């Protein structure tokens, strides 16, 4: 959408912008100029969807009232659902309203997939679409370093699938890309800016509930291959501990099952298909807890483990 | 009278004819069905009509998701019925399932793909305290406490004194909500229902499934009237499309039974629920082609409101029931919704009490408190 900024802005104004995120098409509308600019900055590289594509999600983000458009601006996301948890945000943070609005819809209305709250990156085994890509899934509590590790891998030759939701087809157990900007918080921002340079980041968003946020844009190659699924081979639970010399612990059987099940956001809603999928994965994938002291150490651990799992 | 959006009506009433639609058209129709709370049912019906997966690319995912939601909702309800039964296994207590749980247990066709978040039961008023205590002892707690607020206070007192149910209880482990009713209408309203009659006429659930055995459901006429009351007497109509779909299904299902219509009309008369019944039959047949026999429509005419009110309702109800696409303007629906919201309160309590209630709510809102 980068090539045609004026048209994209017009479409945003009229609520007619349709773009693709992995297997989904989202239709977006906003009349708020600041959000239009931030959106184009962060989503500029995404493919647009044509008029003959079904829109899975619909979202509007607009000022809560005419007054709040100009005076102490406040915006709110609206997806048309009666029970939605959206709250008004300051105008400056309107992109967060859009991010949360989309994530909430995907997380609650996409039960055709088994969804894990996790980062996923994959490596292609060849340029041919027939050759399967191999994926590693990074789960664990927020703050454990999931996003940083996902970001690190995504910019070291891996394809970014997700920093938020891993989408798994319950029939063939393939993972589908859901490439969204990676939201980095506070200290991890500096680490990654130093590593990757300013130009792949959004402007900083200050005073969010999680502190300062900057969005790391999705590498162009990951967007280009946004339709290509991957087979899950490796599941890791990263844990950053300052000064750690590195420690790897393997999980098997029921423990691995419980950990992967714990990372899923909708296994309760899916029931049987989720249980069967996770059971099969426990027999097929390797599960490791990673304690690491630096990003480079963690990237090496993941690459070595992936090599071994081959 | 303005109808429902044509494509939404097609999906609800004759999904097999939803063929050859463009992606744009499907996007809007699916949004409307989702927003009207009927997408799971539509997904199931489209599958039954055949060829769902081939309709247009990308659509199947959203339909499968909705279908799974509906199925899971029923699993949850069944499990909840099983757990609640376990609490009262050694008591001689008549528990009547209401709404979604009742449709499921009694096998009413509207149960397919119907999403229920709560389970509703009805017990005799003098059992209320025992039932509440037994649930509290067995792992349920006040929904307010669960959210970290103190229970009690104005809302709690309001419920206990003026409502037809006790404040909702939530299960500590499963986070499921149970509403325990002692009748089906607030005792403060213009119209009240005779709870002893309701319990007396309730029928045992006939089922092979163990979790359903031992429960009761309201008799057909009462089950229908309860849904009607919920939509047109006690509720605010806005967002109630799913309830009208339920009623349409019940009309088809019960309507076949001998003298159902005579019993229904007579029952509504005795219980003073003629007016809401009039609205239900009128709008279910006008908006969703419900198969109401002419004789029943005619018989319900005498419950109708004066002409000006009827014309006003004909204007407001379809607008408030129809979902609006996010990217289309919805001022008409907004105004209709607001007016009917005021009406719902007007019907629920006497004027002075209403004034006091709204004043307390407003005062608390000014103070920045969240109100129900």
């Amino acid at each position: 959408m980068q090539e045609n900024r004026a048209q994209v802005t017009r479409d945003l104004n009229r609520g007619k912008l349709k773009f693709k995120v992995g297997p989904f098409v989202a239709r977006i509308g906003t009349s708020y100029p600041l959000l239009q600019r931030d959106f184009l900055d962060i989503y500029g590289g995404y493919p647009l969807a044509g008029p003959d594509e079904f829109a899975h999600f619909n979202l509007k983000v607009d000022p809560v009232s005419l007054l709040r458009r100009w005076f102490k601006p406040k915006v709110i996301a609206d997806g048309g659902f009666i029970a939605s948890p959206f709250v008004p945000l300051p105008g400056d943070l309107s992109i967060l309203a859009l991010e949360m609005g989309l994530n909430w819809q995907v997380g609650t209305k996409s039960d055709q997939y088994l969804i894990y709250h996790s980062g996923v990156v994959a490596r292609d085994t060849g340029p041919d679409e027939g050759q399967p890509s191999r994926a590693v899934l990074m789960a664990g509590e927020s703050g454990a370093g999931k996003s940083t590790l996902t970001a690190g891998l995504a910019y070291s030759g891996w394809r970014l699938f997700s920093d938020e939701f891993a989408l798994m087809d319950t029939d063939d157990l393939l993972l589908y890309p859901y490439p969204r900007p990676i939201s980095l918080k506070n200290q991890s921002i500096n680490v990654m800016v130093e590593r990757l340079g300013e130009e792949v980041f959004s402007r900083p968003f200050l005073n969010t509930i999680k502190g300062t946020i900057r969005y790391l844009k999705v590498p162009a190659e990951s967007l280009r291959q946004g339709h290509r699924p991957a087979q899950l081979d490796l599941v890791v639970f990263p844990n950053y501990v300052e000064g750690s010399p590195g420690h790897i612990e393997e999980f098997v059987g029921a423990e691995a099952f419980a950990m992967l099940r714990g990372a899923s956001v909708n296994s309760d809603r899916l029931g049987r298909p989720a249980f069967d999928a996770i059971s099969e994965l426990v027999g097929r994938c390797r599960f490791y807890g990673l304690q690491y002291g630096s990003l480079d150490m963690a990237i090496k651990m993941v690459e070595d483990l992936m090599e071994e799992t081959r | 009278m303005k109808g429902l959006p044509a494509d939404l009506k097609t999906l609800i009433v004759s999904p097999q004819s939803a063929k050859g639609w463009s992606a744009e058209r499907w996007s809007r129709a699916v949004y409307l069905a989702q927003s009207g709370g009927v997408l799971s049912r539509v997904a199931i019906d489209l599958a039954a009509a055949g060829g769902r997966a081939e309709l247009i690319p990308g659509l199947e995912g959203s339909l499968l998701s909705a279908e799974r939601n509906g199925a899971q909702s029923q699993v949850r309800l069944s499990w909840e019925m099983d757990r609640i039964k376990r609490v009262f296994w050694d008591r001689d207590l008549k528990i009547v399932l209401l709404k979604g749980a009742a449709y499921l247990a009694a096998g009413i066709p509207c149960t397919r793909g119907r999403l229920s978040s709560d389970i509703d039961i009805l017990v005799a008023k003098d059992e209320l305290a025992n039932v509440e205590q037994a649930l509290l002892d067995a792992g349920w707690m006040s929904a307010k406490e669960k959210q970290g607020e103190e229970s009690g206070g104005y809302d709690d007192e309001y419920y206990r004194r003026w409502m037809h149910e006790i404040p909702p209880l939530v299960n500590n482990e499963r986070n499921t909500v149970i509403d325990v009713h002692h009748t089906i209408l607030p005792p403060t309203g213009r119209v009240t229902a005779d709870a002893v009659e309701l319990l007396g006429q309730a029928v045992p659930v006939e089922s092979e499934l163990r979790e359903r055995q031992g429960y009761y459901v309201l008799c057909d006429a009462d089950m229908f009237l309860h849904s009607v009351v919920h939509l047109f007497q006690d509720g605010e109509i806005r967002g109630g499309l799913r309830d009208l779909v339920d009623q349409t299904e019940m009309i088809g299902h019960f309507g076949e039974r001998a003298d159902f219509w005579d019993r229904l009309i007579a029952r509504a008369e005795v219980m003073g629920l003629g007016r809401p019944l009039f609205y239900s039959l009128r709008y279910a047949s006008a908006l969703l082609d419900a198969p109401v026999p002419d004789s029943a429509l005619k018989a319900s005419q005498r419950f109708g409101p004066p002409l000006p009110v009827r014309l006003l309702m004909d204007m407001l109800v379809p607008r408030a029931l129809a979902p609006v696409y996010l990217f289309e303007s919805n001022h008409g629906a907004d105004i209709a919704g607001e007016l009917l919201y005021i009406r719902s309160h007007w019907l629920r309590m006497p004027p002075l009490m209403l004034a006091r209630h709204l004043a307390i709510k407003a005062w608390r809102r000014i103070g920045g408190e969240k109100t129900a």
Side-chain angles (χ1 to χ4, degrees), chain B residues 116-183:
Chain B
S116 308
S117 49
D118 306 347
I119 187 165
D120 296 85
I121 63 171
L122 171 77
V123 297
K125 193 168 185 187
D126 53 12
E127 294 279 6
L128 211 50
N130 289 334
V131 168
E132 183 175 12
Q133 193 54 51
L135 287 168
L136 289 173
D137 292 343
W140 276 261
M141 64 192 291
S142 135
K144 268 191 127 177
E145 263 172 52
K146 177 94 181 178
Q147 286 170 3
E149 296 168 37
E150 262 175 63
S151 72
Y154 176 75
D155 284 345
D156 201 87
E157 202 184 304
Y158 179 86
Y159 254 103
R160 289 181 195 282
R161 189 149 167 221
W162 297 119
M163 289 292 280
H164 49 304
E165 54 192 304
I166 60 172
L169 298 172
V170 54
N171 186 276
N172 218 351
E173 258 174 43
R174 299 186 298 280
N175 280 319
T176 44
V177 174
I178 179 168
D179 286 326
V180 183
H181 303 238
H182 58 85
T183 181

Side-chain angles (χ1 to χ4, degrees), chain B residues 44-241:
Chain B
I44 291 168
D45 290 352
L46 284 171
R52 183 179 87 178
E54 283 81 49
L55 287 171
I56 55 161
L59 172 61
E60 174 59 15
S62 289
L63 294 178
L64 177 60
S65 178
E67 183 180 346
R68 283 180 166 171
N69 284 168
Q72 193 55 24
S73 180
Q74 306 210 334
V75 170
R76 260 200 317 270
L77 261 184
S78 291
W79 182 238
E80 221 42 41
M81 275 151 68
D82 176 276
R83 295 293 87 185
I84 292 164
K85 210 170 115 170
R86 196 163 169 268
V87 176
F88 300 103
W89 69 277
D90 59 346
R91 295 176 201 221
D92 185 23
L93 176 71
K94 192 170 188 178
I95 302 178
V96 179
L97 300 170
L98 300 174
K99 303 183 195 170
Y103 305 147
L104 178 63
I108 314 294
C110 66
T111 197
R112 70 178 187 286
R114 193 182 187 279
L115 304 178
S116 308
S117 49
D118 306 347
I119 187 165
D120 296 85
I121 63 171
L122 171 77
V123 297
K125 193 168 185 187
D126 53 12
E127 294 279 6
L128 211 50
N130 289 334
V131 168
E132 183 175 12
Q133 193 54 51
L135 287 168
L136 289 173
D137 292 343
W140 276 261
M141 64 192 291
S142 135
K144 268 191 127 177
E145 263 172 52
K146 177 94 181 178
Q147 286 170 3
E149 296 168 37
E150 262 175 63
S151 72
Y154 176 75
D155 284 345
D156 201 87
E157 202 184 304
Y158 179 86
Y159 254 103
R160 289 181 195 282
R161 189 149 167 221
W162 297 119
M163 289 292 280
H164 49 304
E165 54 192 304
I166 60 172
L169 298 172
V170 54
N171 186 276
N172 218 351
E173 258 174 43
R174 299 186 298 280
N175 280 319
T176 44
V177 174
I178 179 168
D179 286 326
V180 183
H181 303 238
H182 58 85
T183 181
I184 58 170
L185 268 177
T188 51
R190 308 270 189 286
V191 172
T192 57
D194 183 346
V196 180
E197 259 304 285
L198 292 169
L199 277 165
Q201 299 277 325
V203 292
V205 171
E206 283 170 35
S207 174
E208 312 263 284
L209 299 171
R210 217 161 42 105
E211 72 268 13
R212 301 183 189 176
Q213 292 162 7
Y215 280 115
Y216 285 74
V217 292
L218 296 174
C219 73
D220 50 12
D222 288 353
M223 191 187 280
F224 184 75
L225 286 172
H226 183 209
S227 173
V228 166
V229 152
H230 184 69
L231 181 58
F232 290 106
Q233 187 74 26
D234 186 35
E236 49 175 295
I237 301 179
R238 175 168 48 184
L241 179 63

Side-chain angles (χ1 to χ4, degrees), chain B residues 193-326:
Chain B
D194 183 346
V196 180
E197 259 304 285
L198 292 169
L199 277 165
Q201 299 277 325
V203 292
V205 171
E206 283 170 35
S207 174
E208 312 263 284
L209 299 171
R210 217 161 42 105
E211 72 268 13
R212 301 183 189 176
Q213 292 162 7
Y215 280 115
Y216 285 74
V217 292
L218 296 174
C219 73
D220 50 12
D222 288 353
M223 191 187 280
F224 184 75
L225 286 172
H226 183 209
S227 173
V228 166
V229 152
H230 184 69
L231 181 58
F232 290 106
Q233 187 74 26
D234 186 35
E236 49 175 295
I237 301 179
R238 175 168 48 184
L241 179 63
R242 202 260 317 255
D243 291 335
L244 197 66
V245 171
D246 287 345
Q247 287 158 35
T248 302
E249 290 277 6
M250 278 188 266
I251 287 169
H253 186 69
F254 295 142
E256 310 271 290
R257 297 182 184 175
D259 57 87
F260 170 74
W261 293 103
D262 293 342
R263 280 186 290 121
L264 180 66
I265 302 273
R267 194 81 173 139
E269 175 102 73
V270 170
M271 295 174 79
L273 298 176
R275 180 69 55 85
L277 177 65
F278 166 82
Y279 288 136
S280 164
L281 300 183
R282 181 173 182 79
Y283 298 120
S285 49
L287 302 178
L288 292 167
D289 301 344
V292 184
D294 285 341
S295 57
L297 273 180
K298 212 170 275 163
S300 71
Q301 288 297 329
R302 65 189 146 107
F303 301 131
L307 185 66
V309 176
R310 206 194 72 202
L311 292 175
L312 184 64
M313 289 296 276
D314 281 356
M315 214 169 77
L316 298 181
V317 171
R319 284 178 174 78
L321 283 176
V324 178
Y325 192 32
L326 188 63

